Amino acid sequence: MDKIRLFYYMAIRRVITFKRLINFISVSVSYLFRMKKVRAIPPALMVEPTDYCNLKCPLCPTGNNTLNRSKGFMDLEIFRSMIDEIGDSVIHLTMWGYGEPLMNRDFSQMVAYAKKKNIYVRTSTNGSFFKTDDSVDRLIDSGLDELIVSLDGATQETLDQYMVGAKLEEILEGLERLRQRKAEKKAKYPITVLQFLVMRHNEHEIPRMKEISREYGVDRLALKTIRDTPAPQSKVKNKRYRRLVKIKNICSRVWFSSVVNWDGGIIPCCHDLHAHFVMGQLDSGKSETFTSVWNNEKYRKFRAQIIRDKNSISICRNCHGSFQSLEAH
């Protein structure tokens, strides 16, 4: 259902051009025949604006200080250079990683630049940065297509158990400001999604979250599941909100998508949180381009290993190997 909804939004925004369609078909053929050299650009791209965050969520590697790589903010010129190079082929751009995207001061400029290529752009935020009309206006005016606002508690007491450092009143005021500014500007976008991560300690607040989503005029409420792990937060009572992963010995992600960390490091997947599998490096000196990295020896060997034995790769052992929805249905 999520894929259908996404394609619907992209169709409305006229994102699918003839060139992008041909590119997508070429990638699909490469995946179908398990080609280690992909004969096109990945149609989906994830870019990490920063790995800094203002919150301390206990299951997040940034929040619990287990993220084992340097911190920083993506350089605007590196981002622009990448979009100039491959933007005509990219359909879908996800702008988040292991940090709060809106902490990057150039975030709205990045979105606006990507929108010049008419790429479908979405981001996810903890909702702490809608404190002024100007901050909200910059987001709306950037052309952002979809905005996911995380709110993992309907009361401050519940919120404190996971989104440590977040203020419920502040987030709700920001949602109201976003609704008002969109109305005043007569803006349909960004589509606003209120996301609630269902955990053991907060599942009883789902009815209240549905009320909040209506009260604040969001376009959709997403009830996101959490993987069943030893962590007590994952032991939800309602089986509908449990996520059991079926492991497959193949992965479509390394054909259809790629991830660029804040420092320009290109990694195969967001599950490589510590950047152990850096395929190449984008920098201001342009010593490497995305296209040259996408089919270099490291990337081809990684795809070959995925085909041969995905479970032998540390970051892949517990992954389902597809673009699986994390929402409960």
Side-chain angles (χ1 to χ4, degrees):
M1 182 62 188
D2 295 325
K3 291 179 182 178
I4 295 174
R5 185 186 294 113
L6 180 59
F7 276 109
Y8 171 73
Y9 286 144
M10 289 194 293
I12 291 176
R13 300 291 261 178
R14 298 180 180 179
V15 169
I16 310 297
T17 62
F18 181 75
K19 181 176 181 178
R20 285 174 175 153
L21 181 60
I22 295 300
N23 182 79
F24 183 84
I25 292 171
S26 298
V27 173
S28 300
V29 170
S30 297
Y31 174 67
L32 181 65
F33 290 97
R34 303 296 191 262
M35 297 178 181
K36 293 177 281 296
K37 183 176 181 180
V38 184
R39 302 188 180 279
I41 297 299
L45 194 65
M46 174 178 275
V47 173
E48 179 183 67
T50 183
D51 57 354
Y52 278 108
C53 189
N54 58 313
L55 302 186
K56 300 292 182 183
C57 302
L59 295 185
C60 172
T62 300
N64 62 27
N65 292 317
T66 59
L67 191 66
N68 190 24
R69 54 184 170 93
S70 61
K71 291 187 178 296
F73 300 93
M74 172 163 278
D75 182 81
L76 180 58
E77 291 310 311
I78 291 177
F79 179 85
R80 284 174 171 168
S81 178
M82 177 178 60
I83 296 301
D84 287 342
E85 180 191 357
I86 63 173
D88 290 334
S89 298
V90 174
I91 297 173
H92 185 274
L93 176 60
T94 297
M95 292 197 64
W96 70 70
Y98 288 97
E100 167 53 48
L102 300 189
M103 290 183 72
N104 188 318
R105 294 181 180 179
D106 294 327
F107 179 81
S108 294
Q109 292 184 67
M110 290 177 176
V111 174
Y113 200 79
K115 289 307 298 177
K116 287 181 179 179
K117 295 283 188 178
N118 202 28
I119 303 170
Y120 188 91
V121 185
R122 65 174 183 152
T123 194
S124 180
T125 175
N126 60 40
S128 301
F129 295 90
F130 304 142
K131 297 177 181 179
T132 66
D133 286 354
D134 285 345
S135 62
V136 172
D137 286 351
R138 284 195 297 272
L139 209 57
I140 296 172
D141 295 342
S142 71
L144 183 68
D145 294 283
E146 185 176 339
L147 175 67
I148 301 170
V149 181
S150 294
L151 183 60
D152 300 328
T155 62
Q156 186 63 52
E157 180 183 6
T158 302
L159 197 67
D160 286 341
Q161 294 184 57
Y162 189 74
M163 293 180 67
V164 181
K167 302 299 181 185
L168 179 62
E169 183 179 2
E170 190 175 80
I171 296 172
L172 294 180
E173 287 177 353
L175 284 173
E176 179 60 26
R177 181 173 288 110
L178 178 63
R179 176 171 65 170
Q180 290 178 358
R181 295 305 294 158
K182 282 177 67 176
E184 290 170 10
K185 287 174 167 287
K186 297 181 180 179
K188 293 182 179 180
Y189 296 91
I191 297 295
T192 308
V193 180
L194 187 62
Q195 180 175 277
F196 182 74
L197 182 59
V198 182
M199 293 172 278
R200 178 64 179 267
H201 68 275
N202 69 2
E203 60 182 313
H204 66 284
E205 292 189 340
I206 291 175
R208 176 56 186 148
M209 286 303 301
K210 291 179 179 179
E211 292 175 358
I212 289 174
S213 68
R214 289 191 293 268
E215 289 171 12
Y216 289 87
V218 300
D219 295 289
R220 186 164 67 88
L221 172 66
L223 300 176
K224 186 177 178 182
T225 57
I226 187 171
R227 186 171 179 175
D228 191 11
T229 70
Q233 292 95 332
S234 72
K235 307 302 180 183
V236 295
K237 294 179 180 180
N238 191 329
K239 292 182 179 180
R240 181 184 178 187
Y241 303 111
R242 295 178 188 172
R243 175 155 50 99
L244 301 176
V245 178
K246 294 181 180 179
I247 306 299
K248 299 177 182 179
N249 197 32
I250 189 59
C251 178
S252 60
R253 289 174 178 263
V254 292
W255 277 266
F256 286 92
S257 68
S258 188
V259 177
V260 184
N261 285 337
W262 71 265
D263 60 355
I266 299 173
I267 58 176
C269 175
C270 61
H271 290 289
D272 186 16
L273 63 161
H274 302 301
H276 289 156
F277 297 88
V278 178
M279 301 291 146
Q281 187 76 36
L282 302 180
D283 56 46
S284 56
K286 299 182 181 180
S287 55
E288 288 185 295
T289 64
F290 184 91
T291 305
S292 67
V293 173
W294 178 236
N295 278 310
N296 66 12
E297 186 178 2
K298 283 185 179 181
Y299 237 130
R300 295 199 306 271
K301 284 184 176 180
F302 192 87
R303 294 188 189 102
Q305 188 64 23
I306 288 283
I307 296 169
R308 186 166 53 251
D309 184 13
K310 168 177 167 280
N311 293 331
S312 66
I313 304 173
S314 59
I315 63 171
C316 303
R317 288 189 192 117
N318 296 313
C319 177
H320 44 73
S322 64
F323 295 96
Q324 185 183 57
S325 172
L326 303 183
E327 290 186 37
H329 298 287

